[in-house]
């Protein structure tokens, strides 16, 4: 039988039993759409997180106080330093040949006052370099000024939420605010997208690092970001930095250096596993659709016993009869899969439209897997009933007696 | 053209073995017109199914057009059915979802013939059997006589050498029945070998060669008459 004739023969059959066809199409489509939707969401979340963290660039090292093993598992995000990383350490690091930029970081919560209003806000002490490292965009005004690290200039850059919370409709730029017992002038307002490395800067205030030292009454840095000079190999830079810190800290290796890659790798693994997990759960619905197709094919075979006998009398071999039933199931699965794929990606696109932060991901592997599973289940589950039809003795089938 | 040698077939009916065919010997020449009569369960339908390659014998040999059929596998038997044998059934066996034209076309479709090649053949048979006005109708929109004409058209579309009719008038009134028989006889006149299984003596008597069966045996054979040849006069009484 020619392929075109086969398709048309099946189409006739499927159109005649519209309700039945519709139900199996629905089952298939829901299964495929579920797989695509869930893996798409998982993959979107993964890419969102990766984007968020890769802002750092692969040439940036993060130094934290205290010694932690970074092999295996998630790298430490909190360090318990035996000895502080001081501003002097940061300045010494800046002079290293393999280091291009150094951005120290002190983070804490501090009570902030404007007029009568008072809020406890995330306060970040850092330098102008931090803005370049994290690609922070200043919407209004300017970033922190380039000043020696030791100078506690009374200026602040505030996040967009902070501006709303503290100033409401008043003009924020140029206004004064008070953190603890110190006064700062607002010189800049960050753009909305302020989240980075788990710190939501849109709810925060950025001030010079020396000022933060005074407010929090601390010498030690929370983190130090180090950007490697272009052209210097990462391992060598790492060794240089470790050696310098060891020398400055009385021979003790008491700082931890982590790269973005190590951080990302751990997240990536977890999220990928999560995506696979939800995808597998959705794939079960495809299996259910496959079983539905088997039932439908079984019913089709028993309803069409006489037809099978006739087709055999007219010269259809067992192989042709099997092909007829399998191709019918396959056609259902294919059309259902395509409908499901369109629906799944449509919903993802809709989700992206409503939540633009979530990337719209068309993952080819998920599409391939969903279609593959749909077609494979249809094939496997139609095989049994189709073989039953193929085996029917023509004489009994013609009388409607074969089973 | 057809030669059955010592053909036997036993069915299990409940726990009772029934000899549907009991060492049947038969030779049929090309172009003959045979009727097979006999009481229910005498084996006449089994004989027809055997000749039509729908059933396989327990023992004995079957030659069709000089080739031994027992040796063929299912695939080859299907191809032989498609090419050499046309079936006409009492219950028409038309596919309800297909139009008359598409039903007639079915054997060509199963044979894998290209649409351009099929069209003139179907046109021709529709014209010849006077079904022009009914070609696009579904079977349920046709009368019994018209349905059987469609079934006959389908049976002869591949220009088979052999036409097997199992009670072709069983579901028809006498007028439509007479028309169908006339059509079958006309096809026989044009050279096709015709074998009709029937209960109706009036129809059975019309055949040039009449077989009577009982308990799986051919108990009476009026002998080959057309075309007359010494070989086919091999009577089995």
């Amino acid at each position: 039988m020619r392929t075109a004739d086969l398709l048309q023969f099946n189409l006739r059959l499927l159109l005649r039993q519209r309700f039945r066809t519709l139900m199996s199409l629905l089952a298939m489509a829901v299964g495929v759409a579920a797989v695509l939707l869930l893996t798409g969401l998982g993959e979107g979340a993964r890419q969102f997180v990766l984007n968020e963290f890769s802002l750092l660039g692969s040439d940036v090292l993060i130094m934290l106080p205290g010694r932690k093993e970074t092999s295996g598992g998630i790298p430490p995000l909190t360090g318990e330093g035996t000895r502080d990383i001081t501003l002097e350490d940061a300045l010494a690091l800046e002079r290293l040949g393999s280091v291009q930029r150094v951005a120290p970081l002190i983070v804490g919560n501090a009570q902030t006052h404007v007029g009568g209003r008072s809020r406890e806000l995330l306060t970040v002490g850092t330098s102008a370099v931090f803005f370049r490292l994290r690609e922070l965009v200043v919407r209004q005004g300017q970033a922190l000024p380039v000043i020696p690290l030791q100078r506690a200039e009374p200026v602040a850059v505030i996040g967009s939420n902070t501006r709303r919370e503290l100033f409401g409709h008043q003009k924020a730029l140029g206004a004064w605010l008070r953190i603890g017992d110190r006064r700062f002038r607002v010189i800049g307002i960050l753009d909305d997208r302020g989240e980075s490395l788990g710190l939501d800067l849109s709810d925060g205030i950025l001030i010079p690092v020396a000022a933060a030292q005074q407010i929090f009454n601390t010498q030690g840095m929370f983190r130090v970001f180090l950007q490697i000079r272009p052209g210097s190999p990462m391992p060598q830079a790492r060794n240089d930095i470790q050696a310098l810190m060891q020398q400055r800290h009385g021979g003790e290796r008491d700082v931890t250096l982590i790269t973005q890659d190590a951080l990302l790798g751990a997240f990536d693994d977890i999220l990928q596993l999560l995506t696979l997990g939800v995808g597998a759960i959705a794939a079960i619905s495809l299996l259910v659709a496959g079983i539905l197709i088997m039932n439908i094919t079984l019913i089709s075979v028993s309803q069409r016993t006489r037809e099978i006998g006739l087709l055999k009398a007219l010269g259809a071999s067992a192989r042709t009869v099997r092909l007829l039933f399998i191709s019918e199931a396959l056609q259902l699965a294919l059309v259902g899969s395509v409908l499901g794929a369109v629906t799944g990606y449509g919903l993802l696109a809709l989700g992206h439209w409503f939540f633009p932060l979530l990337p719209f991901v068309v993952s080819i592997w998920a599409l391939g897997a969903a279609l593959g599973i749909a077609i494979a289940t249809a094939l496997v589950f139609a095989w049994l009933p189709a073989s039953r039809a193929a085996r029917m003795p023509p004489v009994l089938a013609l009388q409607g007696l074969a089973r | 053209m057809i030669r059955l040698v010592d053909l036997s077939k036993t069915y299990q009916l409940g726990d009772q073995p029934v000899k549907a065919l009991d060492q049947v010997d038969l030779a049929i020449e090309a172009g003959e017109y045979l009727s097979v009569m006999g009481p229910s369960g005498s084996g006449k339908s089994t004989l027809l199914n055997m000749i039509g390659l729908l059933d396989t014998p327990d023992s004995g040999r079957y030659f069709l057009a000089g080739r031994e059929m027992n040796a063929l596998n299912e695939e080859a038997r299907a191809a032989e059915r498609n090419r050499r044998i046309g079936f006409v059934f009492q219950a028409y066996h038309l596919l309800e979802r297909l139009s008359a034209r598409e039903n007639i076309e079915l054997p060509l479709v199963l044979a894998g013939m290209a649409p351009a090649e099929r069209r003139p053949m179907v046109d021709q048979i529709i014209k010849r059997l006077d079904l022009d006005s009914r070609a696009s109708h579904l079977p349920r929109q046709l009368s019994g006589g018209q349905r059987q004409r469609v079934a006959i058209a389908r049976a002869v579309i591949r220009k088979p050498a052999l036409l097997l009719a199992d009670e072709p008038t069983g579901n028809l009134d006498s007028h439509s029945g007479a028309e169908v028989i006339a059509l079958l006889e006309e096809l026989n006149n044009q050279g096709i070998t015709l074998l009709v299984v029937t209960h109706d003596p009036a129809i059975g008597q019309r055949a040039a060669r009449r077989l009577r069966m009982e308990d799986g045996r051919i108990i009476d054979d009026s002998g080959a008459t057309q075309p007359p040849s010494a070989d086919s006069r091999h009577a089995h009484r």
Side-chain angles (χ1 to χ4, degrees):
Chain A
M1 223 169 150
R2 292 169 162 262
T3 313
D5 289 328
L6 194 65
L7 293 181
Q8 211 204 346
F9 191 85
N10 290 334
L11 206 63
R12 267 284 171 61
L13 209 65
L14 295 175
L15 285 179
R16 220 175 100 82
Q17 290 156 318
R18 269 186 213 108
F19 185 73
R20 205 199 75 170
T21 304
L22 217 64
M23 286 301 109
S24 1
L25 282 182
L26 195 67
M28 252 323 165
V30 165
V32 170
V35 170
L36 294 184
L37 204 59
L38 288 179
T39 51
L41 284 177
E43 188 69 13
R46 190 177 74 92
Q47 292 197 2
F48 174 71
V49 170
L50 292 190
N51 277 340
E52 205 50 32
F53 280 71
S54 62
L55 280 175
L56 221 49
S58 59
D59 57 347
V60 174
L61 280 168
I62 305 165
M63 183 191 287
L64 40 149
R67 181 109 189 270
K68 290 275 170 81
E69 290 302 324
T70 54
S71 57
I74 307 175
L77 290 172
T78 60
E80 302 132 27
T82 45
R83 200 191 289 231
D84 288 338
I85 305 171
T86 61
L87 267 189
E88 286 69 39
D89 288 335
L91 287 169
L93 287 167
E94 218 166 23
R95 285 194 292 273
L96 268 181
S98 47
V99 173
Q100 189 177 26
R101 294 196 184 100
V102 177
L105 199 70
I106 291 176
V107 177
N109 283 318
Q111 203 69 33
T112 307
H113 313 269
V114 171
R117 293 180 212 226
S118 170
R119 294 276 188 283
E120 181 158 297
L121 292 172
L122 180 79
T123 305
V124 179
T126 184
S127 70
V129 174
F130 184 68
F131 283 75
R132 301 185 61 174
L133 283 186
R134 305 303 335 267
E135 290 167 13
L136 293 179
V137 179
V138 180
R139 191 209 293 161
Q140 248 184 308
Q142 59 176 102
L144 287 177
V146 180
I147 49 169
L149 288 180
Q150 302 93 324
R151 238 170 84 189
E153 191 89 356
V155 292
V157 176
I158 60 177
S160 53
N161 282 347
T162 307
R163 196 203 72 84
R164 208 171 310 127
E165 291 259 311
L166 289 178
F167 295 96
H169 295 297
Q170 291 166 11
K171 190 168 179 293
L173 208 61
W176 287 86
L177 52 77
R178 191 158 59 79
I179 305 174
D181 55 358
R182 301 181 64 88
R183 274 161 47 89
F184 294 85
R185 207 158 70 87
V186 178
I187 57 164
I189 297 164
L190 286 180
D191 206 39
D192 263 333
R193 284 278 285 122
E195 186 156 356
S196 66
L197 273 178
L199 295 178
D200 190 357
L201 291 176
S202 59
D203 280 323
I205 300 180
L206 292 132
I207 55 174
V209 63
Q213 278 185 314
Q214 292 166 3
I215 288 171
F216 296 117
N217 190 25
T218 175
Q219 287 300 306
M221 299 297 129
F222 175 67
R223 296 281 185 275
V224 177
F225 291 96
L226 300 144
Q227 188 172 32
I228 306 306
R229 192 175 294 283
S232 337
M234 182 62 97
Q236 199 217 315
R238 230 186 142 107
N239 284 340
D240 289 353
I241 293 164
Q242 278 289 10
L244 180 72
M245 291 307 288
Q246 196 170 358
Q247 179 208 326
R248 290 184 60 86
H249 284 187
E252 247 189 288
R253 301 186 66 146
D254 60 355
V255 295
T256 302
L257 283 172
I258 54 178
T259 54
Q260 167 190 270
D261 291 348
L263 206 63
L264 284 184
F267 274 113
D268 198 19
D269 285 353
I270 295 170
L271 290 168
Q272 199 137 38
L273 211 66
L274 216 69
T275 306
L276 273 178
V278 292
I281 292 170
I284 292 175
S285 62
L286 269 181
L287 214 65
V288 175
I291 293 172
L292 186 76
I293 283 192
M294 173 167 73
N295 281 323
I296 281 172
T297 314
L298 268 176
I299 294 169
S300 179
V301 167
S302 47
Q303 279 176 347
R304 288 161 63 197
T305 306
R306 282 167 201 276
E307 178 183 329
I308 293 165
L310 173 78
L311 289 174
K312 288 193 161 185
L314 294 183
S317 63
R319 211 169 54 188
T320 308
V321 170
R322 184 185 292 123
L323 187 67
L324 273 175
F325 282 94
I326 286 180
S327 63
E328 183 193 338
L330 214 57
Q331 237 167 308
L332 265 181
L334 265 178
V335 175
S337 302
V338 170
L339 284 178
V342 171
T343 313
Y345 283 132
L347 286 175
L348 277 180
L350 201 71
H352 177 64
W353 191 68
F354 276 116
F355 306 101
L357 273 186
L358 197 72
F360 172 62
V361 188
V362 177
S363 45
I364 296 299
W365 68 266
L367 183 65
L371 293 185
I373 294 173
I375 289 162
T377 42
L379 265 182
V380 167
F381 285 107
W383 189 267
L384 183 87
S387 298
R388 214 176 80 175
R391 270 199 313 271
M392 284 183 180
V395 177
L396 291 180
L398 270 169
Q399 294 162 3
L401 295 174
R403 60 186 72 219
Chain B
M1 174 182 152
I2 291 172
R3 207 148 72 78
L4 306 182
V5 182
D6 233 6
L7 213 65
S8 293
K9 177 81 181 181
T10 307
Y11 287 116
Q12 207 70 26
L13 204 70
D15 50 0
Q16 193 91 15
V18 175
K19 281 197 168 168
L21 290 181
D22 189 3
Q23 298 187 315
V24 170
D25 288 300
L26 181 65
I28 302 171
E29 288 306 306
E32 274 199 88
Y33 176 15
L34 289 89
S35 68
V36 184
M37 289 194 287
S40 293
S42 60
K44 46 189 199 307
S45 283
T46 306
L47 179 69
L48 184 109
N49 291 335
M50 222 41 98
I51 292 173
L53 291 171
L54 290 177
D55 210 342
T56 47
D58 295 335
S59 64
R61 308 174 78 183
Y62 171 23
F63 299 89
L64 175 63
R67 287 173 64 206
E68 167 132 33
M69 292 291 120
N70 305 41
L72 299 181
N73 62 14
E74 161 62 20
E75 208 66 25
R77 292 160 63 84
E80 288 291 311
R81 285 198 293 266
N82 183 268
R83 205 152 58 93
R84 297 191 197 278
I85 304 167
F87 291 93
V88 178
F89 305 98
Q90 177 176 0
Y92 325 125
H93 280 301
L94 299 175
L95 295 192
E96 289 295 327
R97 62 178 179 278
L98 302 184
S99 70
R101 187 190 173 87
E102 289 162 329
N103 266 292
I104 295 170
E105 202 178 17
L106 208 48
L108 304 181
V109 171
L110 287 171
M113 203 178 275
E117 211 177 328
R118 303 197 298 247
R119 202 167 302 117
M121 297 181 76
V122 179
D123 284 341
Q124 192 199 352
I125 202 91
I126 284 175
K127 205 174 182 61
R128 190 167 142 209
L129 267 62
D130 219 6
L131 287 163
D132 303 83
S133 59
R134 300 279 156 192
S136 58
H137 286 49
L138 292 175
R140 63 165 177 276
Q141 297 165 322
L142 302 175
S143 72
Q146 287 165 337
R147 283 189 226 187
Q148 198 59 299
R149 291 178 83 82
V150 171
I152 292 170
R154 182 182 62 191
V156 297
I157 183 83
R158 283 283 274 159
K159 301 193 168 57
L162 180 61
L163 186 55
L164 302 174
D166 194 355
E167 302 278 8
T169 60
N171 284 3
L172 299 176
D173 61 62
S174 58
H175 177 68
S176 312
E179 273 184 10
V180 163
I181 290 298
L183 175 59
L184 291 175
E185 286 174 357
E186 189 194 325
L187 289 166
N188 173 248
N189 283 335
Q190 287 158 11
I192 200 165
T193 309
L194 176 62
L195 194 151
V196 182
V197 166
T198 183
H199 270 113
D200 187 342
I203 290 171
Q205 289 309 319
R206 296 177 62 93
R209 182 176 171 190
R210 298 169 294 278
L211 305 181
R212 174 160 285 281
M213 288 191 73
E214 225 163 80
D215 297 330
R217 291 171 170 275
I218 298 174
I219 57 162
D220 188 33
D221 185 348
S222 70
T225 51
Q226 184 226 356
S229 99
D231 212 339
S232 66
R233 203 167 283 281
H234 155 74
H236 190 94
R237 286 168 199 266

